[in-house]
Amino acid sequence: MSLKFRLLLLIVGLLSAAILGLAVSLGWQARNAILLQAESDGTRIARVLAQAASVANTVPAEIEQVIGRQMVSEALLTAHLFDIAEQAGISVEEVNARLMEITARSEISEIWGFDGSGTTTYGSLPDVSLQIFPDPERSPVLSRFWHLLSGEKFSVVGPGIDRDLDGRRFKYAGVRGVSTPGAALVGYDFDFIGGIVDRIGLVQVVRSLLDSGRVNAIWVFDYQFQPLAQGTVFGEEVNQPPDSREQEALDDSIRTGSTASWLAGRDMVVVTPIPGPDGGPIGATLLRLPTDGLQKLMQSSLIYTAIVAGLVLAASLLTATWFSHRLTRPLYSIGEAAQAVEQQRYVRGQLQAVAARRDEFGNLARVFEAMAKQVFARQDELDALVKERTLQLEQKNEQLEAANAQINQELTLAQAMQTAILPAAFPQDPRFTGYAMMQAARHVGGDFYDYFMLDEDRIAVVMADVSGKGVPAAFFMAVSRTVIQSVAREADGPGDCLARANDLVCQENPLELFVTVFYGILDARTGEFRFANGGHNPPYLIGADGMVTALETTGGMALGILDELPYAEKSVTLRPGDSLFLFTDGVTEAFDPANQEYGETRLEAALQGSHSLAIEALAQRVVDSVDSFSDTAPQSDDLTCLALRYAGHGGNGLT
């Protein structure tokens, strides 16, 4: 985008922003004025509704108390009626017929008479028989009226309850008998009480507010967020239940007693708490008020703003076009000169017309011409310097390549020498077979294995791992292997051998390295395998039956850390066909590209079923498993393993 066009956009944008900002400010003020008025009206309506809800909250209880007193009076008259009927000898059928007529012509739903045992004597429902028991479990509805039968109380007014008979909610009140033990009860259906509450309570207030046209929707909730009353005018949007924001405001109003209001689409939402007797909130109201006047005012303001902004922008565009052209023309000339310098085709005096100006553009053009002269002079110097440095770099690269080739040659020779140090093949003996291999993480490594005959019946096997890698570890490996071999033939057993070797290694350890060692001796005559472990991974025993188990550890410390340490030894007797697999941590601590460890579980899985393989195939199976697991991940440590299979004294095992 050119500077001219950007200047044009900047000027027009600034003017547009100023005009739109002023119009928006005026519209916002008008909007806020109407919004505040609507909010004030809504708050007053919500407070009136909240007060009505607060009063209506106590109306049902007060009405129920009044009706309870009336029911006691009606029950007393009924008791006298029963007493008169008994004295006059009126039959039960005739009394029941009169009771049915009374319930049909009055608000009383049921009338009952009971004798002293709690059995029904009279009733407005002749086909139904009730029984009063003192035990609430046997008579959950009528047990409280037992005190009337016993004469302990004159009257009892029960709460509203749900009857097991038909599931209807009833309220009963009764008095004791007049001349004989018994009781008279009257019952009211709760629908009658609810109708009274609706006619004078909160529901009527909600209807009145909706009929006024100043409210679109009303919800009244108690402190448990249960709706006490609600109502909405027609329309899908205003009929929607409270959304998440409204529910949060209602919950906050019930908990803290706060009032909230905001504009939501075409409605003003107002949430107000319902005060209780102690002043604390016992519920909340939600109102949605129409804001059609605000919407019309906003539309008019937007239309007026658009007309004024269009006229001002048209004039601004003409002025900005002329001004931007005058500003950008000298810059365009300077840009062409800079491009000419880059392409090495600049001609002196190319900016003469611009340089003759007395303003900032003229100063810039004069400075540019002076810089162009210096650039061409510096370019010649840089070309000569680059040629000189390029020649020097080529010489250094040749020297580095020669030195790197020599280092690689020496490391390859060191690797060949290290490989030559390790034994190449197991002794030929029909009683056992073995195979060992090592893959160094670098040209040379710190792992080593060894095997040698102590006499014509005993073969010693060694698996070791020197701390560190590279040339220092390789040298320490050679020293450690030589020391172990030198003391192995004189030692009394594996433990004694490691103890002597440890003392010698500690004396000749200037780099303070250490080596973990597993050393074992197989007696080919008996199959006994005695071993000692100096901090190394315990080998696995692969039975002729295919079972894979790790050898016990002996608790020894790595060689080269502390001298004069004892090394315990243990033994296991191999059966013909049993195999031993010795390894270094380069096997179990190999990693895949996701940095997951190979681990002992995968090693044990690779050894499963290997009892039927030849000894070389057994070792190669583990190495292939590690290589497949590692995939493209670089080898992190030396990988060394040794497999030894006992064929038995007669040499019948699988080789």
Side-chain angles (χ1 to χ4, degrees), residues 136-141 161-169:
E137 293 185 358
R138 297 185 61 187
S139 182
V141 177
I161 53 176
D162 296 321
R163 299 192 308 185
D164 295 336
L165 178 64
D166 51 11
R168 297 172 63 186
R169 189 165 181 80

Side-chain angles (χ1 to χ4, degrees), residues 31-86:
R31 170 189 176 278
N32 285 342
I34 296 180
L35 194 62
L36 287 174
Q37 182 62 40
E39 181 178 356
S40 177
D41 294 343
T43 302
R44 285 195 295 269
I45 294 173
R47 286 177 178 172
V48 170
L49 189 62
Q51 291 294 332
S54 179
V55 173
N57 192 47
T58 61
V59 166
E62 294 177 356
I63 291 177
E64 191 170 344
Q65 289 179 1
V66 173
I67 292 178
R69 290 193 293 270
Q70 176 184 335
M71 291 174 69
V72 170
S73 301
E74 293 170 347
L76 181 59
L77 292 174
T78 303
H80 282 281
L81 174 64
F82 292 158
D83 186 63
I84 293 172
E86 290 175 357

Side-chain angles (χ1 to χ4, degrees), residues 185-237:
L185 271 67
V186 296
Y188 271 52
D189 193 328
F190 245 65
D191 290 340
F192 167 70
I193 301 175
I196 297 175
V197 174
D198 288 343
R199 288 192 295 272
I200 65 174
L202 183 61
V203 175
Q204 183 62 32
V205 177
V206 170
R207 292 196 190 102
S208 299
L209 289 174
L210 291 175
D211 293 341
S212 69
R214 301 184 64 183
V215 182
N216 282 344
I218 299 174
W219 281 271
V220 182
F221 297 92
D222 61 12
Y223 71 97
Q224 294 181 336
F225 217 81
Q226 297 298 319
L228 300 177
Q230 67 181 63
T232 58
V233 298
F234 64 89
E236 181 180 353
E237 294 183 358

Side-chain angles (χ1 to χ4, degrees), residues 37-329:
Q37 182 62 40
E39 181 178 356
S40 177
D41 294 343
T43 302
R44 285 195 295 269
I45 294 173
R47 286 177 178 172
V48 170
L49 189 62
Q51 291 294 332
S54 179
V55 173
N57 192 47
T58 61
V59 166
E62 294 177 356
I63 291 177
E64 191 170 344
Q65 289 179 1
V66 173
I67 292 178
R69 290 193 293 270
Q70 176 184 335
M71 291 174 69
V72 170
S73 301
E74 293 170 347
L76 181 59
L77 292 174
T78 303
H80 282 281
L81 174 64
F82 292 158
D83 186 63
I84 293 172
E86 290 175 357
Q87 293 179 6
I90 302 175
S91 65
V92 174
E93 290 76 10
E94 186 177 353
V95 172
N96 288 344
R98 295 295 180 91
L99 295 180
M100 293 173 61
E101 183 178 358
I102 292 173
T103 56
R105 295 177 177 274
S106 67
E107 298 296 339
I108 301 175
S109 300
E110 296 178 6
I111 302 175
W112 299 97
F114 298 91
D115 59 17
S117 65
T119 303
T120 303
T121 56
Y122 303 103
S124 59
L125 301 176
D127 297 333
V128 179
S129 179
L130 301 180
Q131 180 72 37
I132 299 177
F133 295 101
D135 186 3
E137 293 185 358
R138 297 185 61 187
S139 182
V141 177
L142 302 177
S143 61
R144 59 176 49 86
F145 296 102
W146 181 262
H147 300 293
L148 301 177
L149 304 179
S150 62
E152 298 177 15
K153 293 184 178 181
F154 174 76
S155 64
V156 174
V157 179
I161 53 176
D162 296 321
R163 299 192 308 185
D164 295 336
L165 178 64
D166 51 11
R168 297 172 63 186
R169 189 165 181 80
F170 260 69
K171 180 179 181 67
Y172 289 98
V175 298
R176 67 189 179 191
V178 177
S179 301
T180 59
L185 271 67
V186 296
Y188 271 52
D189 193 328
F190 245 65
D191 290 340
F192 167 70
I193 301 175
I196 297 175
V197 174
D198 288 343
R199 288 192 295 272
I200 65 174
L202 183 61
V203 175
Q204 183 62 32
V205 177
V206 170
R207 292 196 190 102
S208 299
L209 289 174
L210 291 175
D211 293 341
S212 69
R214 301 184 64 183
V215 182
N216 282 344
I218 299 174
W219 281 271
V220 182
F221 297 92
D222 61 12
Y223 71 97
Q224 294 181 336
F225 217 81
Q226 297 298 319
L228 300 177
Q230 67 181 63
T232 58
V233 298
F234 64 89
E236 181 180 353
E237 294 183 358
V238 296
N239 275 316
Q240 292 180 353
D243 57 23
S244 59
R245 181 178 180 183
E246 292 172 339
Q247 292 177 1
E248 291 178 2
L250 286 167
D251 182 66
D252 188 61
S253 181
I254 293 173
R255 287 187 296 102
T256 63
S258 60
T259 299
S261 60
W262 65 90
L263 188 65
R266 293 183 176 274
D267 291 333
M268 165 66 70
V269 180
V270 180
V271 178
T272 305
I274 300 174
D278 58 352
I282 60 172
T285 61
L286 168 64
L287 300 179
R288 291 179 185 160
L289 309 176
T291 57
D292 297 337
L294 175 62
Q295 301 297 333
K296 293 179 180 179
L297 179 61
M298 290 296 295
Q299 292 176 359
S300 300
S301 177
L302 289 175
I303 294 173
Y304 176 76
T305 301
I307 295 174
V308 174
L311 295 175
V312 175
L313 285 177
S316 302
L317 183 61
L318 295 175
T319 304
T321 302
W322 174 82
F323 186 69
S324 62
H325 178 71
R326 178 171 177 79
L327 286 178
T328 57
R329 185 166 55 183

Side-chain angles (χ1 to χ4, degrees), residues 367-510:
V367 172
F368 183 86
E369 285 189 334
M371 290 177 59
K373 295 178 182 178
Q374 295 180 4
V375 166
F376 286 121
R378 293 284 180 86
Q379 185 66 38
D380 296 337
E381 296 179 3
L382 287 174
D383 289 342
L385 185 60
V386 167
K387 292 180 180 179
E388 181 182 355
R389 293 291 184 265
T390 302
L391 180 61
Q392 293 176 356
L393 286 174
E394 290 176 353
Q395 295 173 351
K396 295 295 183 182
N397 287 335
E398 292 176 357
Q399 294 174 2
L400 288 174
E401 290 176 358
N404 187 50
Q406 183 178 359
I407 291 173
N408 288 333
Q409 182 179 4
E410 291 176 354
L411 288 175
T412 302
L413 179 60
Q415 184 180 23
M417 292 176 64
Q418 184 183 27
T419 305
I421 292 175
L422 302 177
F426 263 78
Q428 296 296 320
D429 193 312
R431 296 172 294 181
F432 58 81
T433 55
Y435 178 76
M437 63 180 298
M438 182 183 74
Q439 291 181 1
R442 301 183 181 179
H443 284 83
V444 289
D447 288 5
F448 72 90
Y449 62 84
D450 201 1
Y451 45 82
F452 47 87
M453 297 297 296
L454 296 176
D455 53 39
E456 62 181 7
D457 293 316
R458 295 185 303 156
I459 181 172
V461 291
V462 181
M463 181 60 62
D465 184 1
V466 176
S467 62
K469 300 178 182 67
V471 175
F475 278 112
F476 194 69
M477 177 272 282
V479 172
S480 301
R481 178 177 179 273
T482 303
V483 169
I484 293 173
Q485 274 199 3
S486 65
V487 300
R489 302 182 189 280
E490 301 176 359
D492 293 335
D496 183 47
C497 177
L498 292 188
R500 294 187 183 189
N502 178 53
D503 293 340
L504 294 174
V505 170
C506 287
Q507 295 173 8
E508 301 294 336
N509 190 8

